[in-house]
Amino acid sequence: MTLAITPSTTTAVPAVVGADLRVPLVTGERVTYANLDHAASAPCLQEVRDAVDELLPWYASVHRGAGFASQVSTRVYEQARDRIRRFVGAHSSDTVVFTRNTTDSLNLLARSVPRNTAVVLFDSEHHAALLPWRGPHVQRIPAPSSSSAAVVALDRALAAAPVGPRLVIVTGASNVTGELWPVAELAKVARRHGARIALDAAQLAPHRPINARELDVDYIAFSGHKIYAPFGAGVLVGRADWLQQAQPYLVGGGATSRVTDHGDRLGVAWSAVPERHEAGSPNVVGVHALAAACEILSRHWEQTVAHEQELLTRLREGLRTVPGFRELAILTDADKVGVVSFTVSGFDAGFLAAALSAEYGIGVRDGAFCAHVIVGRLVKKVGSHEERAVRASIGLGTTAEHVDRLVAALRTLVTEGPKWTYVQQDGRWVAEDDGRTLPPFLA
């Protein structure tokens, strides 16, 4: 059984749940929420919500259930592997392992590489890609200043790497700056040195088509909550051999094909991939949502890219009119997806984010964005004493009014100051005497 995904009847970008959400301000007004925090978690697509609603009556146990609903759920779960494989242009032989998110996927891969694998990566990576790799054969390359410099730096690092298995980790789009990395060119270097390459596509997947065969990458990891399917599923797609040879990432039901009692010990025969690394009851609903989002985005790439690029240009041009604005950048020659991180001279990033929310109904992110190494370096480069920045990120739920409201609000905060008083609590800026009430379901 294949659950239907109803095609959109419009040429506009897909609609998101919550586009008309109204939020309270500290001044007592209510305004439509301006969600400029898509890079952290994207809202749910309306079509994804519909796909989930269609599945829920059929939801049941997977793989070993004899009931008809179990057969339906199992079919939905297994078909999702092919749908996601098509989304990333993977080889038919590539395995698709369902995880919780990108972090989970990259930790799974790190647990599966052969012993003494030389791992090479740039220190500008998100913590999910930066931290799982440990040991003497891990080489972190300082962030390059350009795409061409990245290629040269990787070539040198791999030339000096120990003999044996090698793996390169690279992001597709920076979660800090939105810059697109030269993945295909880096893959060519990896191949020349006999290395495999893993792509962190968490920020790339919502914004650009991915083709694993054209990019010539071995592994791709991304998360549902970044691509408008916030139901707790992620995925690792790639070559099966290392994953098949590794001990299960988690042990338990589903990861085993047979367990036998030998008195003083248990004999265990592990399942083949992908089940080998999917112990426990699968997240059928999350996986279905993830696959649905992939198919919906695939039908709307032209509109999505045009929508985001138009708003990105509007955002960057507007922010340049804000006194003291400094945009963070790693690569000088890279195209960008809809992510802009910045500082404003003389203003704490956390204060700006708090005031934008409390007084203007705007959601942005402040901090170091789980990329502390590169953010700390970049904010110092633009003259900030704080190791924090503000990040505004665009997605399918963003409108021109949201962008213009952010720019106008920042100009007002910088030139006239806030309308409200703010204090620090537990290291965060909050509106003093904040009388805004939470929605009823939290009461």
Side-chain angles (χ1 to χ4, degrees):
M1 175 180 180
T2 301
L3 297 180
I5 305 292
T6 304
S8 173
T9 57
T10 176
T11 57
V13 295
V16 301
V17 175
D20 56 354
L21 177 68
R22 293 181 66 79
V23 296
L25 306 182
V26 288
T27 55
E29 306 163 73
R30 279 187 174 268
V31 297
T32 303
Y33 185 54
N35 184 355
L36 289 164
D37 195 19
H38 283 69
S41 282
C44 184
L45 286 174
Q46 289 185 7
E47 290 181 71
V48 168
R49 179 189 60 188
D50 294 344
V52 167
D53 286 345
E54 185 181 21
L55 170 63
L56 286 177
W58 297 94
Y59 171 74
S61 61
V62 177
H63 291 148
R64 291 166 297 281
F68 190 74
S70 289
Q71 295 177 39
V72 171
S73 289
T74 298
R75 181 72 64 86
V76 166
Y77 187 77
E78 291 303 326
Q79 283 182 343
R81 299 192 203 276
D82 288 331
R83 296 162 72 186
I84 290 170
R85 195 180 283 112
R86 288 193 299 270
F87 177 71
V88 298
H91 297 278
S92 59
S93 59
D94 286 338
T95 193
V96 177
V97 180
F98 292 120
T99 64
R100 292 176 296 173
N101 45 45
T102 309
T103 302
D104 197 23
S105 295
L106 292 173
N107 274 269
L108 165 58
L109 182 59
R111 287 279 296 272
S112 302
V113 298
R115 184 183 299 274
N116 296 324
T117 295
V119 177
V120 181
L121 69 164
F122 294 95
D123 67 5
S124 48
E125 295 289 334
H126 186 282
H127 292 168
L130 188 67
L131 298 180
W133 319 97
R134 305 293 175 88
H137 299 308
V138 178
Q139 183 174 358
R140 287 178 285 274
I141 308 172
S145 59
S146 66
S147 298
S148 57
V151 173
V152 171
L154 180 63
D155 192 24
R156 290 173 178 168
L158 287 172
V163 175
R166 299 171 175 185
L167 178 66
V168 175
I169 313 298
V170 65
T171 189
S174 169
N175 79 302
V176 176
T177 64
E179 293 156 334
L180 294 166
W181 281 64
V183 177
E185 290 79 4
L186 294 171
K188 290 178 182 177
V189 173
R191 293 289 179 253
R192 192 160 62 244
H193 291 278
R196 298 188 184 190
I197 184 166
L199 174 63
D200 174 358
Q203 289 297 335
L204 182 63
H207 301 286
R208 292 288 194 279
I210 301 171
N211 190 306
R213 287 168 294 179
E214 291 181 2
L215 293 174
D216 197 19
V217 296
D218 299 280
Y219 305 97
I220 296 174
F222 62 97
S223 296
H225 76 101
K226 303 286 191 187
I227 64 165
Y228 308 95
F231 291 87
V235 67
L236 177 65
V237 184
R239 296 174 62 169
D241 54 347
W242 284 0
L243 294 166
Q244 179 63 40
Q245 294 161 13
Q247 288 292 303
Y249 180 49
L250 298 173
V251 295
T256 58
S257 60
R258 183 173 174 79
V259 177
T260 53
D261 186 356
H262 297 284
D264 60 339
R265 63 181 178 85
L266 293 176
V268 181
W270 301 114
S271 301
V273 292
E275 291 84 0
R276 187 183 189 88
H277 299 294
E278 292 180 351
S281 296
N283 179 5
V284 182
V285 174
V287 164
H288 180 55
L290 175 61
C294 289
E295 292 193 348
I296 295 160
L297 286 174
S298 293
R299 297 198 304 265
H300 294 90
W301 278 128
E302 184 177 351
Q303 302 99 305
T304 295
V305 173
H307 167 80
E308 293 182 357
Q309 289 302 299
E310 179 181 346
L311 291 179
L312 177 61
T313 299
R314 190 185 192 101
L315 175 62
R316 297 179 79 191
E317 290 178 351
L319 288 173
R320 291 187 189 112
T321 69
V322 176
F325 167 80
R326 302 283 190 279
E327 184 175 355
L328 305 188
I330 304 170
L331 307 176
T332 58
D333 56 351
D335 190 11
K336 284 170 63 80
V337 298
V339 177
V340 178
S341 293
F342 59 91
T343 62
V344 178
S345 180
F347 289 85
D348 180 86
F351 163 76
L352 289 175
L356 288 169
S357 172
E359 298 181 29
Y360 299 95
I362 300 169
V364 294
R365 182 59 55 108
D366 70 281
F369 321 125
C370 295
H372 295 176
V373 173
I374 190 60
V375 170
R377 190 176 302 154
L378 293 178
V379 296
K380 287 183 174 64
K381 186 177 179 181
V382 298
S384 174
H385 298 295
E386 301 285 340
E387 292 193 359
R388 298 158 60 89
V390 179
R391 183 181 68 189
S393 49
I394 290 166
L396 295 176
T398 310
T399 68
E401 190 277 328
H402 296 164
V403 169
D404 294 345
R405 196 194 318 174
L406 171 64
V407 172
L410 276 173
R411 276 204 301 260
T412 300
L413 285 169
V414 169
T415 59
E416 301 177 17
K419 305 171 188 175
W420 207 260
T421 301
Y422 297 85
V423 295
Q424 284 194 309
Q425 292 182 2
D426 300 323
R428 299 289 300 175
W429 287 95
V430 297
E432 191 173 39
D433 299 323
D434 187 348
R436 292 175 292 173
T437 58
L438 295 171
F441 66 85
L442 288 177

